[in-house]
Amino acid sequence: MSNPAADRPLRVAIIGAGPAGVYAADILTKAEREFEVSIDLFDGYPAPYGLIRYGVAPDHPRIKGIVKALHKVLDRGDIRFLGNVTYGRDITLADIRDMYDAVIFATGAIKDADLSIPGMDLEGSYGAADFVSWYDGHPDVPREWPLNAKEIAVIGNGNVALDVARVLSKHAEDLLVTEIPENVYQGLASSPVTDVHIFGRRGPAQVKFTPLELRELSHSRDVDIVLYPEDFEFDEASDEAIKTNNQAKTMVNTLTNWLVAQEDREEQEEAGKRTPASRRLHLHFLHSPVQINGANGAVEGIRFERQELDGTGNVRGTGEMVDYPVQAVYRAIGYFGSELAEVGFDPRRGVIPNDGGRVVGDDGQHVRGLYATGWIKRGPVGLIGHTKGDALETIGNLLEDRLDLPAAAHPDEQAIIDLLTDRGVAFTTWDGWIALDTHEHALGAAAGTIDTPAGPVTRERVKVVERDEMVRISQQ
């Protein structure tokens, strides 16, 4: 057995600087060990944080707490960040093998899972992941988004569906307190939307939302939440879940309280004591999508089959079809991982085949020195914090394998810098991110105080979108 760290630091490359990658790097640096480690954290974007920057709705205040935690890890100086470096293009697996003893893939999942129903290719049919990338200012997506629908369907009963529906239904000026780019604000401000419908296949006791995400829906100004009493069916399994699962109980209580409040609201409106909101966000349950209806190549409606609970918490079709007039459909049924060059891939699950984070080859054997963590390891399920458990397992196995890792031929820390420079890769660094972060805060300050229907708003920051501009600012 060789021991690459016997007389020098163990060199580890991590591909992906989102939460999964940062957690893995942090756990490795803090692990109980009798040898030094040297970690380089790569990302295809010029800025770090991955999912936090480009995959989470900007109006989530708790996200700031996660950013602060990730910032503290990278700001210590014992983990080197190299941004704007794309694996498979700027660096290859052979490059990494030459300069590192081990590599951890933490590339996440950024594509939409497929929904195979007729009409998915109509104009006005979108994947939620693409829309999230747009409103989060992803540098590699178009700057414009077609927001011309008055009635919109969002398919899915997870947190991403709630994020998409909330952003679509929210008044644009109420997002000015976030870091949304100017093009996103202008696009949302021009939207004629009046009704956004969220459709889930199962019942209220089986939804995949988290309580915090659900409650955030009720915080949108001038947006009424609309529920349908016929959707509130509970079978034996639902009743048991409500009794024994605190999250299910909280979710159902929240929804039923809204249903009661809706009845009161409707009575006040009938009596002329309340003016209805200008926008509505509808929550539908027990709806399974059948097809997207269209005319002249564009979405004009969507058809569902009504479902019923079968006693076990699962559902079965009733044969009853119901149509809704909509001009846009967003599928938010999950994310899917992307295949990486020279690394195995499971096309069914969208992950790198692995055993506890150890990458597995076509022969079923562990590939020495290759590891995975986060969504590319286990699939896009669970919350951001769950990636810590992934990282603990992966790092534990990497450390267990340390004595059998294939030693890098050129482990010097300068080797990767020389290679990127020779190839003309405009890579960014942690100091560059600090410069970009400062610049984005300055853009917010320059915007000054803006008067909105909800009161004056002071912008905290404005996200830079253009990749070249991000790199330019980072390299100043």
Side-chain angles (χ1 to χ4, degrees):
M1 289 188 180
S2 62
N3 183 353
D7 300 311
R8 61 167 174 79
L10 178 71
R11 288 284 282 147
V12 178
I14 300 177
I15 310 299
V22 176
Y23 289 150
D26 187 39
I27 290 168
L28 180 55
T29 59
K30 293 177 179 178
E32 188 173 326
R33 49 188 165 74
E34 298 178 352
F35 56 91
E36 296 298 315
V37 296
S38 172
I39 303 170
D40 285 339
L41 189 64
F42 294 89
D43 204 282
Y45 307 135
Y49 306 146
L51 173 68
I52 299 298
R53 184 171 170 93
Y54 294 120
V56 178
D59 57 345
H60 281 320
R62 76 180 188 281
I63 295 304
K64 293 181 180 179
I66 299 176
V67 168
K68 288 179 180 178
L70 299 179
H71 179 98
K72 286 181 180 179
V73 172
L74 296 180
D75 202 44
R76 293 195 310 249
D78 54 354
I79 300 165
R80 186 165 61 174
F81 170 71
L82 296 172
N84 203 39
V85 179
T86 299
Y87 171 81
R89 184 190 68 192
D90 299 323
I91 55 172
T92 67
L93 184 59
D95 298 327
I96 294 172
R97 289 287 212 179
D98 183 59
M99 290 177 279
Y100 299 89
D101 305 307
V103 56
I104 302 171
F105 294 99
T107 50
I110 60 172
K111 296 194 303 183
D112 284 288
D114 290 332
L115 177 62
S116 298
I117 61 173
M120 286 302 301
D121 57 348
L122 288 169
E123 180 183 345
S125 172
Y126 310 110
D130 293 334
F131 181 60
V132 171
S133 292
W134 175 76
Y135 69 59
D136 272 335
H138 192 295
D140 300 329
V141 302
R143 298 294 166 261
E144 306 299 322
W145 188 271
L147 290 164
N148 47 24
K150 294 183 66 176
E151 300 159 302
I152 300 171
V154 179
I155 303 172
N157 254 180
N159 287 340
V160 174
L162 291 188
D163 282 352
V164 167
R166 192 180 64 255
V167 170
L168 285 167
S169 60
K170 208 165 189 174
H171 291 277
E173 56 267 23
D174 294 338
L175 287 166
L176 287 174
V177 295
T178 75
E179 62 182 21
I180 61 167
E182 183 63 20
N183 67 296
V184 176
Y185 168 69
Q186 294 296 340
L188 292 171
S190 67
S191 171
V193 66
T194 58
D195 294 83
V196 177
H197 300 259
I198 304 175
F199 295 95
R201 193 173 65 88
R202 297 204 288 173
Q206 289 82 36
V207 295
K208 299 299 183 182
F209 314 139
T210 54
L212 179 61
E213 294 269 357
L214 181 64
R215 286 194 292 264
E216 283 184 355
L217 292 184
S218 65
H219 299 161
S220 295
R221 178 185 61 85
D222 191 34
V223 179
D224 283 342
I225 296 175
V226 181
L227 298 162
Y228 298 85
E230 63 269 23
D231 289 346
F232 283 76
E233 293 184 7
F234 299 98
D235 60 0
E236 294 88 342
S238 300
D239 290 336
E240 182 65 20
I242 294 168
K243 291 177 183 177
T244 60
N245 185 299
N246 285 333
Q247 178 160 312
K249 179 180 179 179
T250 300
M251 303 293 278
V252 171
N253 284 344
T254 298
L255 290 166
T256 52
N257 286 340
W258 286 353
L259 195 58
V260 172
Q262 176 177 304
E263 295 173 357
D264 293 339
R265 186 178 74 221
E266 291 171 348
E267 290 178 0
Q268 292 180 33
E269 290 170 1
E270 289 177 2
K273 297 179 179 180
R274 181 186 185 274
T275 300
S278 66
R279 295 179 177 181
R280 290 159 294 281
L281 201 163
H282 306 253
L283 292 173
H284 303 267
F285 304 99
L286 300 172
H287 281 66
S288 182
V290 174
Q291 70 179 45
I292 300 173
N293 302 322
N296 299 318
V299 172
E300 66 171 7
I302 184 167
R303 174 171 296 175
F304 293 88
E305 181 183 10
R306 288 286 301 179
Q307 305 291 293
E308 62 182 6
L309 293 165
D310 65 2
T312 69
N314 292 311
V315 294
R316 59 190 170 216
T318 65
E320 177 189 354
M321 301 295 171
V322 57
D323 292 299
Y324 294 86
V326 297
Q327 299 83 51
V329 174
Y330 291 75
R331 66 185 186 278
I333 58 172
Y335 285 93
F336 200 77
S338 300
E339 186 171 1
L340 297 168
E342 302 179 84
V343 183
F345 187 69
D346 182 343
R348 183 180 59 85
R349 298 179 56 222
V351 300
I352 296 173
N354 70 92
D355 178 13
R358 293 182 174 104
V359 173
V360 174
D362 293 339
D363 59 0
Q365 300 299 309
H366 298 161
V367 182
R368 294 169 62 220
L370 269 59
Y371 300 86
T373 191
W375 280 4
I376 199 63
K377 169 189 174 184
R378 62 182 168 86
V381 294
L383 302 176
I384 292 171
H386 293 162
T387 57
K388 289 184 178 179
D390 280 336
L392 279 167
E393 180 183 52
T394 297
I395 296 302
N397 285 332
L398 186 156
L399 293 174
E400 184 178 308
D401 300 340
R402 182 178 65 90
L403 296 179
D404 193 36
L405 294 174
H410 299 93
D412 186 88
E413 292 184 352
Q414 185 61 31
I416 184 63
I417 302 300
D418 291 342
L419 181 142
L420 294 174
T421 301
D422 289 345
R423 291 180 178 173
V425 179
F427 64 90
T428 60
T429 64
W430 181 247
D431 286 341
W433 161 246
I434 297 298
L436 178 59
D437 185 48
T438 300
H439 179 81
E440 291 185 344
H441 278 92
L443 290 177
T449 300
I450 303 169
D451 290 327
T452 75
V457 170
T458 301
R459 301 211 67 181
E460 180 179 341
R461 68 186 294 153
V462 178
K463 187 181 289 184
V464 175
V465 179
E466 298 289 345
R467 180 182 287 267
D468 290 346
E469 180 71 356
M470 293 171 68
V471 172
R472 183 189 67 78
I473 295 165
S474 298
Q475 293 185 334
Q476 284 180 341

